[in-house]
Amino acid sequence: MVTKNPDPGSDSDNHSYANTKQIHTKHLHLELDVNFENRTVYGIARHQMVNNGTDTAIFDIKALDIQKVTTGSIGKEKETDFVIGAWDKDSILGQPLMVKIDAKTTFINIYYKTTEETEAIDWLSPELTTGKEQPFMYTQGEAILTRSWIPLQDTPSNRLTYSASVKVPQGLLPLMSAENPTELNTESVYEFKMDQPIPSYLIAIAVGNLSYKKLGKNCGVYSEPELISSCAYEFGDLPKMISAAEDLYGKYQWQQYDVIVLPYSFPFGGMENPRLTFVNPTVLAGDRSLVSLVAHELAHSWSGNLVTNRSWDDFWLNEGFTVYFENRIMEALYGKEIADILARIEFQELQDELIDLSKSDHPEDTRLKLKLQGRNPDDGMTDIAYVKGAFFLKTLERDLGRERFDGFLKSYFRTFAFKTVNSELFLNYLKKNLLEPNGSNFNAEEWIYKEGIPSNCYAVTSPRLDKMKLLAKRFMKGENIFEQVSYVKIKGKKKKKKKVTRLQRNDFITQEWQAFIRELPETISPELMKKLDAYLNFRNWGNSEVMSEWYVLGIHSGYTELRPYMKKFLNKVGRRKFLLPIYSALMEKEDDKAWAREVFNEAKEHYHFVSKSSIEALFRNT
Ligand code: BES
Ligand code: ZN
């Protein structure tokens, strides 16, 4: 049956059909059967609701097969009528599922299965894992994909607790954003519970051949057995990060903090699923040089998971706070010099983003507070939310003083713990508790509601990065930067000894090399690129951040010898942040277009929907 869809946004969230003001889920119990043969999750979603006397409950679904809906608790269930709203293939939101209830109904049970179109789930055949023997699956919920694997009120404005009973094939371990097992059991049915209320985008599951290594009293890492020792090394500082975070903004509220390293197809670097951060193996640089990503996801345990953006228009409240907090954790562990290097790198990305957005269809997206109605909330995932947001807070810290600002943030997290916030609530709280008491006329409104970067923005400098820029400039001028000749005096002798120091990759950290590469002009000749590769081997360096930037520069400069390396990378890594710049650089060049499509057609099988659909959109638009 087809009816006109209701207007989304009944509870100030334009990206959900749910009528949460009338009725909302308080607790969700999931009964799941994860079937790898059919690549299907068979589920029952048992919603325990708070009903303010309505006769219809509206849930969000997308590409789900709804079999029946009942009301009443287990044992007393009665089938009820439901209507699924009109289906539009391009629909971002999916469909409303409208269930007939009565004013007293509090239990609604939805029997369903996922379909081939389910966007949240990535099903991986064994070849796409490290071990190559067992299959793997995981979900990605943020922003609005949870509705494609669970029928629910998919809005961050509502918090719910959840529990689950999950059946998986023998030998595979399921993990959720909940209390987790560390070992297989014989029944292959696992029970989960998340007793603290969370927004729906944080419900997540991963199933695979997984082992666990404890890293501290309340933290550890899961990965395929082959990777576990490198993971344990890479994330060895995790216990210190947790204490540093707690020292800053109050006790960690989720008891356990574990990380799971997923297969390479995971479309993000990291995702802050509570109690179990999901990360992409590209973070395993072997030298801990990319661990700020874990600091970031850990920071979300406060900003995002404890205090949550009420709608996707306020995404900066999740990410901007988190980038700021991440940098504070990095400073606490590794010192101000390193923290400034990281912030400087991010600031440069923000400047590039500002240029891109000013040329785009939505120049107004340089505001922190967004208006994403009718658009994909993914559009808000720019460096505005992340870096402009963080620099807003850095500027506040500079003007009000660190001690006062830290006190303010601590009380903000305490006041809004397990609640949701929007920009207006934050602004009010900021004025009342920080600006007014200190007689400050800080331009907070300008930061939140105006386009661009206000002129009082905190300026971060890094002498070490400046040095790398200089090194790149010298190289471009034709200087031999690879060998440095100096003369050392030898005791008792008249003649000085000639000493040659060779430039090595390990002389500098990842971010310094990024600054070096970014300083090279797009017009650099392929010969010079080749020369750098001969000395430094960027093209095959195991460091994904460096490799991806190197490839983009290589495309611009016409250094086609990179193709085999690039192809290998594109066939292995599914992280959107790396894929998009590479594919879009390729699409800008007539000579590379066909090759880009060819590589994508081969590689797309092992990209998650999130990455695949973004690249397809890029292809459509070029
Ligand atoms: N929560 C985000 C990932 C996300 C945002 C997924 C919006 C879907 C929609 C996560 O915390 C994140 O920001 N990850 C970044 C890493 C971070 C260090 C900037 C990433 O994946 O690159
Ligand atoms: Zn984040």
Side-chain angles (χ1 to χ4, degrees):
M1 192 163 117
V2 175
T3 59
K4 190 177 169 321
N5 289 349
D7 289 333
S10 74
D11 189 17
S12 61
D13 176 5
N14 292 314
H15 293 103
S16 168
Y17 286 112
N19 56 340
T20 49
K21 285 225 173 90
Q22 281 136 28
I23 184 166
H24 68 265
T25 305
K26 193 170 76 178
H27 180 81
L28 170 65
H29 179 69
L30 295 166
E31 290 173 30
L32 305 175
D33 180 351
V34 182
N35 186 314
F36 280 85
E37 264 155 48
N38 304 340
R39 295 195 158 188
T40 303
V41 174
Y42 299 88
I44 309 172
R46 300 186 182 279
H47 291 264
Q48 196 180 328
M49 322 282 298
V50 175
N51 185 350
N52 299 325
T54 185
D55 61 4
T56 313
I58 310 180
F59 298 90
D60 294 294
I61 59 172
K62 191 169 191 187
L64 280 179
D65 188 348
I66 305 296
Q67 285 144 344
K68 72 173 180 187
V69 183
T70 70
T71 58
S73 53
I74 299 184
K76 296 183 199 145
E77 287 176 57
K78 277 207 201 96
E79 252 189 91
T80 188
D81 290 335
F82 63 89
V83 175
I84 293 174
W87 171 246
D88 164 7
K89 251 271 173 220
D90 300 323
S91 153
I92 296 157
L93 303 185
Q95 294 158 287
L97 165 67
M98 294 163 275
V99 177
K100 188 166 172 285
I101 56 171
D102 63 53
K104 292 218 163 65
T105 305
T106 51
F107 290 99
I108 303 176
N109 314 293
I110 308 170
Y111 292 67
Y112 71 99
K113 60 180 192 189
T114 60
T115 66
E116 269 182 30
E117 265 93 54
T118 287
E119 294 168 353
I121 306 183
D122 192 6
W123 297 98
L124 295 133
S125 56
E127 304 82 72
L128 298 176
T129 65
T130 306
K132 312 231 181 292
E133 271 170 20
Q134 304 270 22
F136 203 105
M137 73 83 88
Y138 64 86
T139 60
Q140 166 62 36
E142 195 179 15
I144 54 168
L145 301 184
T146 304
R147 65 190 66 176
S148 78
W149 79 282
I150 306 171
L152 44 51
Q153 299 180 308
D154 200 10
T155 168
S157 63
N158 185 47
R159 306 184 78 96
L160 66 159
T161 55
Y162 82 89
S163 51
S165 173
V166 182
K167 185 172 176 293
V168 294
Q170 282 284 340
L172 298 183
L173 187 70
L175 301 172
M176 294 190 82
S177 48
E179 225 176 290
N180 274 313
T182 53
E183 277 172 14
L184 295 174
N185 68 29
T186 45
E187 302 79 44
S188 244
V189 178
Y190 297 80
E191 305 297 326
F192 298 87
K193 73 187 171 42
M194 167 46 78
D195 284 336
Q196 285 123 311
I198 57 168
S200 56
Y201 72 86
L202 293 176
I203 304 177
I205 187 170
V207 183
N209 177 23
L210 291 161
S211 52
Y212 183 67
K213 182 131 173 66
K214 198 173 150 111
L215 296 173
K217 76 175 193 313
N218 67 338
C219 62
V221 60
Y222 291 91
S223 77
E224 287 188 66
E226 295 81 0
L227 285 180
I228 197 77
S229 58
S230 39
C231 294
Y233 170 75
E234 206 78 33
F235 306 135
D237 281 340
L238 195 48
K240 280 191 220 153
M241 285 187 178
I242 298 172
S243 346
E246 288 189 316
D247 286 347
L248 284 166
Y249 302 128
K251 201 176 156 15
Y252 178 73
Q253 299 274 0
W254 310 86
Q255 292 91 45
Q256 187 70 21
Y257 182 81
D258 291 322
V259 170
I260 176 176
V261 176
L262 296 168
Y264 280 95
S265 66
F266 185 54
F268 296 105
M271 177 64 214
E272 66 273 23
N273 297 315
R275 296 183 68 120
L276 184 67
T277 281
F278 284 18
V279 312
N280 189 293
T282 51
V283 177
L284 304 169
D287 58 3
R288 300 185 174 179
S289 65
L290 302 179
V291 292
S292 64
L293 186 132
V294 174
H296 177 98
E297 305 311 335
L298 171 67
H300 272 306
S301 308
W302 286 259
S303 42
N305 297 4
L306 201 57
V307 180
T308 307
N309 57 209
R310 191 170 286 180
S311 81
W312 301 110
D313 288 346
D314 290 298
F315 184 55
W316 77 274
L317 290 169
N318 274 15
E319 297 299 342
F321 274 68
T322 299
V323 171
Y324 172 82
F325 191 172
E326 162 199 345
N327 200 251
R328 293 294 303 274
I329 296 172
M330 294 305 284
E331 182 182 329
L333 261 78
Y334 309 108
K336 183 153 165 48
E337 190 180 52
I338 293 290
D340 283 351
I341 286 179
L342 294 165
R344 180 74 215 167
I345 289 278
E346 287 162 356
F347 194 73
Q348 193 181 357
E349 288 161 7
L350 173 62
Q351 287 170 317
D352 294 343
E353 184 86 84
L354 283 166
I355 296 169
D356 289 350
L357 287 173
S358 72
K359 289 188 277 189
S360 76
D361 295 342
H362 291 285
E364 76 282 8
D365 284 356
T366 63
R367 297 176 190 152
L368 284 178
K369 173 85 183 191
L370 297 169
K371 286 194 185 117
L372 294 171
Q373 181 165 19
R375 295 170 63 193
N376 194 324
D378 246 29
D379 290 2
M381 205 190 166
T382 70
D383 281 313
I384 299 301
Y386 284 81
V387 187
K388 181 183 174 182
F391 274 79
F392 173 27
L393 303 188
K394 271 183 181 290
T395 309
L396 276 166
E397 181 204 316
R398 179 198 67 198
D399 285 9
L400 278 302
R402 178 169 275 195
E403 208 174 311
R404 262 185 236 144
F405 190 59
D406 280 351
F408 164 78
L409 282 185
K410 209 167 184 166
S411 74
Y412 167 76
F413 287 128
R414 207 183 320 113
T415 307
F416 295 102
F418 298 108
K419 295 197 170 81
T420 64
V421 278
N422 57 23
S423 299
E424 292 63 43
L425 257 175
F426 169 71
L427 183 59
N428 247 325
Y429 189 81
L430 175 73
K431 285 184 180 162
K432 279 228 165 63
N433 296 280
L434 188 67
L435 303 183
E436 285 162 13
N438 292 294
S440 163
N441 56 1
F442 194 92
N443 55 339
E445 277 95 348
E446 182 186 353
W447 273 95
I448 296 173
Y449 298 109
K450 291 264 156 63
E451 293 175 18
I453 306 298
S455 58
N456 63 333
C457 183
Y458 175 80
V460 60
T461 54
S462 165
R464 273 171 64 179
L465 295 188
D466 291 343
K467 253 173 94 177
M468 294 310 285
K469 290 188 193 171
L470 215 64
L471 189 69
K473 286 214 172 81
R474 283 173 40 211
F475 174 73
M476 288 311 295
K477 276 196 196 131
E479 246 181 76
N480 178 4
I481 60 164
F482 302 109
E483 281 167 6
Q484 219 166 13
V485 181
S486 58
Y487 293 90
V488 269
K489 218 177 152 182
I490 301 174
K491 235 185 172 174
K493 292 201 177 161
K494 256 202 167 161
K495 230 176 126 195
K496 287 181 181 169
K497 193 176 166 218
K498 184 175 169 186
K499 192 174 154 228
V500 181
T501 341
R502 282 180 60 91
L503 178 69
Q504 294 192 348
R505 225 164 50 187
N506 287 344
D507 294 344
F508 300 108
I509 63 172
T510 301
Q511 291 75 17
E512 287 172 302
W513 284 120
Q514 279 178 292
F516 177 84
I517 293 172
R518 288 177 188 187
E519 196 60 25
L520 300 171
E522 287 184 1
T523 51
I524 182 175
S525 71
E527 292 69 37
L528 284 183
M529 293 284 290
K530 201 172 166 177
K531 199 164 171 186
L532 283 165
D533 257 346
Y535 276 94
L536 299 160
N537 197 22
F538 287 140
R539 65 184 168 204
N540 210 14
W541 188 353
N543 190 304
S544 52
E545 296 278 351
V546 170
M547 281 157 91
S548 59
E549 294 200 24
W550 185 243
Y551 295 157
V552 171
L553 183 65
I555 296 163
H556 289 308
S557 73
Y559 177 31
T560 46
E561 278 175 56
L562 273 183
R563 278 191 181 180
Y565 300 92
M566 218 156 30
K567 188 171 172 178
K568 197 171 133 206
F569 185 86
L570 295 171
N571 267 294
K572 178 172 172 185
V573 177
R575 187 171 164 189
R576 183 170 67 177
K577 175 186 153 186
F578 297 143
L579 298 182
L580 270 185
I582 297 176
Y583 280 112
S584 56
L586 287 170
M587 293 307 284
E588 277 169 31
K589 295 197 101 178
E590 241 9 86
D591 294 348
D592 287 328
K593 268 188 182 169
W595 187 75
R597 286 180 193 273
E598 188 190 305
V599 175
F600 175 71
N601 278 336
E602 190 183 321
K604 69 177 179 205
E605 286 318 310
H606 48 263
Y607 295 158
H608 181 278
F609 166 81
V610 162
S611 294
K612 193 161 52 190
S613 59
S614 302
I615 299 162
E616 278 164 350
L618 172 83
F619 283 177
R620 268 199 305 279
N621 300 328
T622 38

